[in-house]
Amino acid sequence: MRTTRNLLSSAAALLAALAAFGVQAQASSGPIKIGLMLPYSGTYAALGAAIENGFRLYVQEQGGKLGGREIEYFKVDDESDPSKATDNVNKLIKRDNVDVLVGTVHSGVALAMAKAAKDNNTLLVIPNAGADAITGPMCAANIVRSSFTNWQPGYAMGIVAGHKGVKRAMTITWNYAAGTESTKGFTEGLEKSGGKVTKDLTLAFPNVEFQALLTEIAAQKPDAVYAFFAGGGAVKFVKDYAAAGLNKTIPLYGPGFLTDGTLEAQGAAAQNMLTTLHYADNLDTPRNNAFRKAYAIAYKSNADVYAVQGYDAAQILGNGLKAVNGDLSRRDQLTAAMRKTVVDSPRGKFTLSAAGNPVQDIYLREVKGNYNEFRSVAVKALADPARGCKL
Ligand code: BEZ
């Protein structure tokens, strides 16, 4: 009896050891499973596609490997729908058992991803969504961002507008984290440089019925309007603003999302618009020129800021994996190396803050034809305040 029990417990111990060995082997060899959770439908669909293109381009440039390991992709269309976000991210974490999550565009969806990444201790690289809280009160060692916080470009545009003599501005945006945080950043920058926001106008995401709000702007006649919209919604807003004749009398400013990846569709309506962002199409550096050329050859389209952020997400992950020779079980060294990396980005070199968010130059750009052209550095090496992050 005792012998049988001994035999059973030895077998159990052997099985446990084999399982642990299997996990260990999977952590250091075979393909790394990357879960891409991005919008492939809806108003942000083009942004999701550009991020994936950029990510894949960097991996291809490394011979299809990061940290010496092949990459296997798993994909979920998050539809930019926060109500489906937890189910969607769990498909990647629990069903597909991915090693790393990469996503997403929409801040509301990203907040749910960050919670799931923290709860499951899964690595998360955010290639767009700017939700301030993710690198604020929710910050975590296993989460980094290759993009921006919503505060960053908004704050820079506020500073620029104030220096241009704007005293009274109105804001207009979708009523969710990205819009409200972007306009808060703008308000903070504008107040610092001598102006103020007289009214914030909002509508639900992804609504594009702007007419009543444009009528209100026309009646109030502010010195300038600051708008956060992106993707399909930005195309419609900029066209509607021009069709109402407002662009002739009230300058329209915004974070660069208002005119990035959208110019062919916006056409004349966007010409000469000023925006602030951490990227400009014509940055004349060998790094940016090589990136844009490779992207155009691979995808037969022009790169935009979303492609850059996808490319840099792969680069940050790749630099971390290189430091641990592709061994995911060396988690602390991997996340430390990802945070310490100097990212050789098409936007210019940048570092990550302790909270895991880019510390980067924010450029003032002007629309000329189909390009967002560099005009000046609006704010040098701008770090998000990371309010509430305790790491
Ligand atoms: C966001 O939801 O954080 C976002 C979406 C599109 C462009 C920029 C930010």
Side-chain angles (χ1 to χ4, degrees):
M1 185 60 183
R2 185 169 292 158
T3 324
T4 315
R5 206 181 290 142
N6 283 351
L7 268 176
L8 281 175
S9 69
S10 309
L14 183 64
L15 279 176
L18 281 173
F21 178 73
V23 170
Q24 175 65 36
Q26 197 187 315
S28 57
S29 64
I32 291 179
K33 295 174 157 192
I34 305 274
L36 295 173
M37 178 153 150
L38 292 166
Y40 294 107
S41 56
T43 198
Y44 288 161
L47 287 60
I51 288 169
E52 178 174 348
N53 287 346
F55 193 98
R56 286 181 184 266
L57 179 63
Y58 183 79
V59 172
Q60 276 156 19
E61 287 176 359
Q62 313 312 306
K65 294 182 177 179
L66 294 180
R69 292 178 62 182
E70 303 281 344
I71 299 298
E72 188 178 359
Y73 293 101
F74 296 79
K75 287 171 57 164
V76 165
D77 176 6
D78 67 37
E79 304 168 47
S80 295
D81 186 344
S83 73
K84 298 182 184 163
T86 303
D87 283 348
N88 278 331
V89 71
N90 280 330
K91 285 181 196 157
L92 292 168
I93 296 175
K94 301 202 164 124
R95 181 194 65 193
D96 301 330
N97 205 13
V98 299
D99 299 303
V100 186
L101 287 167
V102 176
T104 186
V105 168
H106 185 287
S107 276
V109 178
L111 285 162
M113 288 184 81
K115 182 173 180 327
K118 283 177 80 164
D119 291 350
N120 294 280
N121 197 24
T122 307
L123 264 185
L124 168 62
V125 185
I126 301 171
N128 184 71
D132 294 347
I134 295 176
T135 48
M138 291 180 78
C139 70
N142 60 319
I143 302 177
V144 296
R145 182 147 50 193
S146 64
S147 50
F148 56 88
T149 61
N150 293 318
W151 178 89
Q152 282 176 309
Y155 174 80
M157 194 71 237
I159 297 282
V160 170
H163 288 155
K164 287 192 174 297
V166 172
K167 295 286 173 223
R168 293 168 50 256
M170 288 174 78
T171 71
I172 178 166
T173 189
W174 282 313
N175 191 6
Y176 82 101
T180 52
E181 291 170 357
S182 179
T183 55
K184 260 176 105 174
F186 173 77
T187 304
E188 195 180 321
L190 184 61
E191 284 176 356
K192 201 170 164 188
S193 59
K196 67 172 186 201
V197 168
T198 53
K199 188 147 194 194
D200 296 308
L201 303 174
T202 59
L203 69 169
F205 176 87
N207 193 336
V208 289
E209 294 311 318
F210 301 117
Q211 224 43 57
L213 300 175
L214 293 176
T215 304
E216 188 169 350
I217 290 170
Q220 301 262 337
K221 299 191 179 58
D223 299 335
V225 168
Y226 175 85
F228 168 91
F229 296 104
V235 171
K236 173 93 170 26
F237 180 77
V238 169
K239 287 179 110 172
D240 285 4
Y241 196 86
L246 289 172
N247 60 341
K248 305 236 164 49
T249 51
I250 307 172
L252 175 59
Y253 298 139
F257 315 113
L258 200 56
T259 58
D260 230 84
T262 51
L263 289 174
E264 277 175 37
Q266 287 165 334
Q271 292 310 303
N272 308 321
M273 271 181 63
L274 295 177
T275 61
T276 44
L277 203 63
H278 45 285
Y279 184 62
D281 295 319
N282 68 334
L283 292 175
D284 192 13
T285 60
R287 188 75 178 102
N288 189 43
N289 292 335
F291 164 75
R292 291 189 73 87
K293 189 171 170 198
Y295 191 94
I297 291 170
Y299 304 111
K300 316 278 172 277
S301 64
N302 282 327
D304 57 19
V305 70
Y306 308 106
V308 171
Q309 294 168 171
Y311 188 82
D312 291 342
Q315 199 173 168
I316 293 170
L317 179 62
N319 289 351
L321 286 167
K322 201 183 290 168
V324 295
N325 292 322
D327 185 350
L328 289 162
S329 70
R330 293 167 63 192
R331 170 62 83 84
D332 290 350
Q333 287 150 288
L334 168 59
T335 53
M338 284 168 72
R339 263 196 178 50
K340 260 191 234 131
T341 184
V342 177
V343 188
D344 189 10
S345 169
R347 76 188 83 169
K349 287 192 177 155
F350 71 90
T351 54
L352 294 177
S353 66
N357 191 67
V359 177
Q360 55 194 343
D361 293 349
I362 306 290
Y363 307 124
L364 176 65
R365 310 112 45 90
E366 183 174 2
V367 175
K368 290 287 165 199
N370 283 340
Y371 297 97
N372 286 287
E373 291 189 356
F374 172 87
R375 286 293 167 264
S376 62
V377 176
V379 185
K380 182 104 196 116
L382 184 62
D384 180 84
R387 295 170 185 124
C389 171
K390 292 189 188 69
L391 264 186

